[in-house]
Amino acid sequence: MEASPRPFDFEAAFREHYARLARVIARVIRDPARSEELAVEVLWKLWRTPAAHGEQAGGWLYRTAVRTGLNELRSRGRVQRHEQLADATDGGLNPEQAHAAAQQQEQVRAVLAALDSRQAELLLLRGSGLSYAEVAAALELNPSSVGTLLARAQQAFRKEYIERYGEQ
């Protein structure tokens, strides 16, 4: 007699992944409240996508979270100057340093939005602290190719940044 597959435990998946998904999205869009909303949307998409349930749910979630964050970033207009300053002043910087930091953050976001989606996803997931194995699972890659693909993504980022803003 063959055992029937266990039903997907959505509640456990939510508890396990929600906070990290919100942090991954927040690193992209720099809006913690909105990132929490988008993390819930990503988990809702998981609920509605039975093909994503199972052992690969974690990878599917992180891939979807990065794509959702990039879509949010691309759909936004330019962030108002006072929001940039408020975002950058967390470290006790003087106004000039805060402005420079906010400007650099905006430049990085613009470059990420201009990159190929796969390259931006690689950089964001790795920058969010995921290991090569976790990045490979999230993007459905061969773990041994993550290093090479990441190096190429970094090179593409560097090239795009220099084309837009010059050497700094």
Side-chain angles (χ1 to χ4, degrees), residues 140-161:
E140 297 176 344
L141 299 171
N142 181 341
S144 63
S145 66
V146 170
T148 302
L149 294 172
L150 190 56
R152 289 179 188 157
Q154 289 168 334
Q155 186 177 24
F157 179 92
R158 214 174 356 265
K159 180 181 175 190
E160 181 69 26
Y161 190 91

Side-chain angles (χ1 to χ4, degrees), residues 88-159:
T89 57
D90 291 342
L93 305 174
N94 68 41
E96 186 177 319
Q97 292 170 323
H99 177 70
Q103 188 174 22
Q104 186 175 28
Q105 289 173 352
E106 190 60 37
Q107 290 172 346
V108 168
R109 286 188 196 101
V111 171
L112 283 172
L115 288 180
D116 173 72
S117 292
R118 177 60 55 104
Q119 291 177 331
E121 291 168 357
L122 273 163
L123 292 172
L124 289 166
L125 288 173
R126 184 65 178 149
S128 294
L130 271 66
S131 69
Y132 278 23
E134 290 172 318
V135 170
L139 299 177
E140 297 176 344
L141 299 171
N142 181 341
S144 63
S145 66
V146 170
T148 302
L149 294 172
L150 190 56
R152 289 179 188 157
Q154 289 168 334
Q155 186 177 24
F157 179 92
R158 214 174 356 265
K159 180 181 175 190

Side-chain angles (χ1 to χ4, degrees), residues 20 49 71 76 139 143 148 155:
R20 199 165 182 191
T49 311
N71 287 341
R76 284 183 177 183
L139 299 177
T148 302
Q155 186 177 24

Side-chain angles (χ1 to χ4, degrees), residues 10 14 17-18 21-22 25 35-49 52 57-58 60-69:
F10 179 76
F14 188 96
H17 297 285
Y18 170 76
L21 290 171
I25 295 169
S35 68
E36 291 175 0
E37 294 170 1
L38 292 173
V40 170
E41 287 181 23
V42 168
L43 286 156
W44 178 245
K45 287 179 186 177
L46 174 67
W47 175 260
R48 294 187 334 239
T49 311
W60 185 94
L61 281 168
Y62 292 109
R63 183 175 54 256
T64 304
V66 168
R67 289 178 180 165
T68 300

